[in-house]
Amino acid sequence: MASGTTSKTFMWGIMGLLIVGLGGFGATNLSGNITRVGSVGDEDIDVNEYARALQQDIRAIEAQTGSAMTFDQVLAAGVDRAALGRLIGQAALDNEAAKLGLSIGDENLSQQIVQIDAFQGANGFDRESYRFALNQAGLSEIEFEGQMRADTVRAILQGAVVTGAPMPAAYADTLIGFAGERRDFTWALLSAADLMTAQVEPTEEQLTKFHTDNAADFTSPAKKRLTYVWLSPDALVAGIDVDEERITALYEERKDQFIVAERRLVERLIYSDAAAADAAKAALDAGEKDFETLVADRGLDLADVDMGDVTAASLGAAGADVFALDGTGVVGPVETTLGPALFRVNGVLPGSETSLDEAREELHAELASDAARRQIDRVAEDLDDLLAGGATLEELEGEGGAVLSSIDWHAGSEEEIAGYADFRSAALAAKDGDYPEVIRLDDGGIAALRWEANIDAALQPLEEVRDTVTAAYKAEQINIGLAAQGEIMVNQLVQGADMAELGLTARQEADMIRSDFISEAPAGLIDEVFEMQDGGVTVIRGTDSVAIVKLDAIKGPDENDAEVTGFRTLLAQQGDAGISDDLYAAYARAIQDQAGIYLDQTALNAVHANFR
């Protein structure tokens, strides 16, 4: 059965194959009696085709990662299985196409080949370029044309399976209906200052009960008691001498960092002649026009005249006049290389100067830190040897400046040493019986730790956390009081009162969607608003405040919003692609199961042996 021309996607696939060949991937050819690594139905999977596919996949990964792969890594990553799976899928399609009598004619095949850029010469298709490109790819003309014919037929077969199966519109409608649904509502905030009932100090009984009822809030986490030694570059920097010449040289190299010229936020409006510029300045001084009007008169926008933040030097001859202005305002007309201009100064960014003496400590630390890290590298080797020889952490104290300390460590520890990811990983893994090892820290420092004991999570005694418990109790009582006060107001609003009558400061929100956020509102307010019924009024409790909310309107998505339109298009495309992928996957499994798959492990091993 004849077919039409191949798809653009397929054409680029062929180009990729040729580029791979021209890029020096080379070809892998296996000689001997082994000709196939398997088959699907009546279609064989050629041994050389598998070798080439595997080689190309390996080279592609290596090019992406920038490092060579051993074949053990190839196997561990499943690269061989991916290449073989791809060829199994192709063989299944070839087998099915043969059963259906599907093929592409010689004329169509020829038209496709002569259009490929890699085969072009000065006067169009060039036979020698064709042969050279195929040779570089390790293919004969017969092999390439056979592959091209087969790939075209596969594309036809795949297209027949997935074409005409769009995702129902209800899919996008449902998702957009949820994500784009809008709410209009009025709300007011009640905080501690609005509480009408007086606060009283809690009794001992109330505190004790609150402490017990909320035990999780006052329970210290499980910890590990660790002893450690630590050597940090910062601890060594002060004691490392640095030549004054190096400090001075670094200062000179970074002079732009230490001596910053004054900058000004400037707009420049250029005129064709001095008379026009003078007239504009006169109108401005008389109050007849403002600067924005002058810009508009020239047919420009403010963005067209904005120069950003500039230095006096960058303005050339106009710099002296512009920077002579005290504060903000308009200067000019001033002659420039582009003609007379008015300059508006919108802001002044003061310059700064840090002298060598002021910067010396910073520069010394930067230069000394490299030496400190090199020194720590040498100390690390000594500590490794000492630990291997049975030395304790206590015996390492002072070695090269190492400091001995301890920590009750847990995931939320805030001590400085706990800020290092490598220390945290070692602390998490530490257990009884482990021998200390040197840990390399990301700032160039080193540490070593020893497990001492596990400390179980425990409820902290009330006396130790009395102030925290008292503050939490009071906050809860305020919240309860505000919620009760809010419920009274809700009933009044339902009966017809408005927020102003109740002394509330009403805030209007319109077209809010689920992903919107109001920083002053209690957490979860938007979520609860979307659970309300139209016209409903409710109290939404936060941590230290409550909100009284009246839902004014429920609206669907704004179909005139470009974002909604774009999202709908994207969902439709993704949905169509998802259905196509699922259909093709089901079809591919079905034809593979129907045809039957045979794999020759001996042949596969023979191919793999060539890669080792």
Side-chain angles (χ1 to χ4, degrees), residues 119-122 124-131:
F119 304 153
Q120 303 303 307
F125 177 75
D126 183 72
R127 170 65 64 175
E128 290 305 316
S129 297
Y130 179 49
R131 290 197 184 98

Side-chain angles (χ1 to χ4, degrees), residues 110-171:
S110 176
Q111 290 175 358
Q112 293 169 18
I113 292 174
V114 299
Q115 292 173 6
I116 296 176
D117 289 343
F119 304 153
Q120 303 303 307
N123 300 312
F125 177 75
D126 183 72
R127 170 65 64 175
E128 290 305 316
S129 297
Y130 179 49
R131 290 197 184 98
F132 176 76
L134 295 184
N135 183 61
Q136 289 297 100
L139 294 169
S140 68
E141 291 185 31
I142 293 176
E143 287 176 319
F144 173 71
E145 291 169 9
Q147 285 184 9
M148 195 165 183
R149 192 187 302 273
D151 286 342
T152 304
V153 171
R154 292 185 203 119
I156 294 170
L157 191 54
Q158 287 173 306
V161 172
V162 301
T163 300
M167 177 67 75
Y171 170 74

Side-chain angles (χ1 to χ4, degrees), residues 146-419:
Q147 285 184 9
M148 195 165 183
R149 192 187 302 273
D151 286 342
T152 304
V153 171
R154 292 185 203 119
I156 294 170
L157 191 54
Q158 287 173 306
V161 172
V162 301
T163 300
M167 177 67 75
Y171 170 74
D173 291 342
T174 301
L175 292 179
I176 289 176
F178 179 83
E181 191 176 21
R182 296 169 293 160
R183 295 288 188 273
D184 294 349
F185 59 92
T186 305
W187 68 288
L189 193 67
L190 292 179
S191 61
D194 300 305
L195 189 64
M196 295 179 180
T197 56
Q199 285 290 293
V200 296
E201 290 296 316
T203 65
E204 188 68 18
E205 182 181 357
Q206 288 171 327
L207 278 184
T208 301
K209 184 175 186 304
F210 186 81
H211 177 249
T212 303
D213 291 346
N214 298 275
D217 295 335
F218 309 112
T219 297
S220 60
K223 303 174 183 178
K224 289 183 179 181
R225 180 156 295 159
L226 306 171
T227 299
Y228 65 92
V229 290
W230 178 23
L231 182 54
S232 164
D234 292 343
L236 302 179
V237 162
I240 294 177
D241 291 330
V242 178
D243 291 340
E244 183 64 23
E245 290 182 0
R246 294 182 62 203
I247 293 177
T248 303
L250 184 58
Y251 178 82
E252 291 297 325
E253 182 183 328
R254 302 266 184 85
K255 209 158 190 177
D256 289 345
Q257 173 185 332
F258 296 111
I259 301 177
V260 180
E262 178 186 332
R263 305 181 75 85
R264 296 196 169 195
L265 302 175
V266 173
E267 294 165 331
R268 179 183 62 189
L269 183 57
I270 301 171
Y271 286 88
S272 58
D273 54 60
D278 289 337
K281 185 63 163 60
L284 185 69
D285 292 341
E288 297 170 0
K289 294 183 179 182
D290 57 21
F291 191 78
E292 286 78 4
T293 303
L294 294 178
V295 172
D297 287 347
R298 297 295 316 281
L300 301 171
D301 295 324
L302 287 176
D304 299 324
V305 300
D306 187 13
M307 300 184 72
D309 58 294
V310 297
T311 62
S314 68
L315 292 178
D321 291 323
V322 173
F323 275 74
L325 180 66
D326 185 14
T328 60
V330 179
V331 176
V334 178
E335 281 297 328
T336 73
T337 56
L338 300 175
L342 298 181
F343 289 86
R344 181 166 73 168
V345 178
N346 295 313
V348 177
L349 307 175
S352 63
E353 182 172 346
T354 304
S355 68
L356 175 59
D357 286 340
E358 292 170 327
R360 180 173 279 102
E361 184 177 345
E362 176 186 340
L363 296 170
H364 172 273
E366 182 174 340
L367 292 169
S369 62
D370 288 337
R373 282 189 283 270
R374 290 193 297 271
Q375 182 175 323
I376 288 174
D377 283 339
R378 294 191 294 271
V379 173
E381 295 178 6
D382 295 337
L383 296 188
D384 266 332
D385 292 339
L386 290 170
L387 288 172
T392 65
L393 296 182
E394 288 76 10
E395 292 170 333
L396 299 184
E397 184 176 16
E399 287 286 337
V403 177
L404 181 72
S405 190
S406 64
I407 181 175
D408 288 344
W409 179 86
H410 60 93
S413 293
E414 297 181 354
E415 289 91 332
E416 186 177 1
I417 188 67

Side-chain angles (χ1 to χ4, degrees), residues 12-138:
W12 282 112
I14 293 297
M15 288 300 300
L17 172 64
L18 293 172
I19 291 169
V20 163
L22 291 168
F25 277 170
T28 298
N29 289 295
L30 300 172
S31 59
N33 297 325
I34 299 175
T35 60
R36 64 174 188 170
V37 295
S39 61
V40 181
D42 296 330
E43 289 294 324
D44 289 340
I45 303 172
D46 183 78
V47 64
N48 288 314
E49 187 177 2
Y50 171 62
R52 278 195 296 269
L54 181 55
Q55 185 182 57
Q56 289 172 4
D57 286 359
I58 294 171
R59 295 293 184 269
I61 294 172
E62 290 177 339
Q64 186 176 19
T65 61
S67 60
M69 297 180 74
T70 67
F71 198 67
D72 286 337
Q73 291 173 322
V74 169
L75 296 177
V79 180
D80 60 318
R81 296 189 296 276
L84 183 58
R86 190 167 64 251
L87 294 178
I88 289 173
Q90 291 176 2
L93 286 173
D94 292 344
N95 184 71
E96 186 69 10
K99 287 172 57 180
L100 296 173
L102 189 63
S103 66
I104 178 175
D106 293 340
E107 183 177 350
N108 283 330
L109 180 62
S110 176
Q111 290 175 358
Q112 293 169 18
I113 292 174
V114 299
Q115 292 173 6
I116 296 176
D117 289 343
F119 304 153
Q120 303 303 307
N123 300 312
F125 177 75
D126 183 72
R127 170 65 64 175
E128 290 305 316
S129 297
Y130 179 49
R131 290 197 184 98
F132 176 76
L134 295 184
N135 183 61
Q136 289 297 100

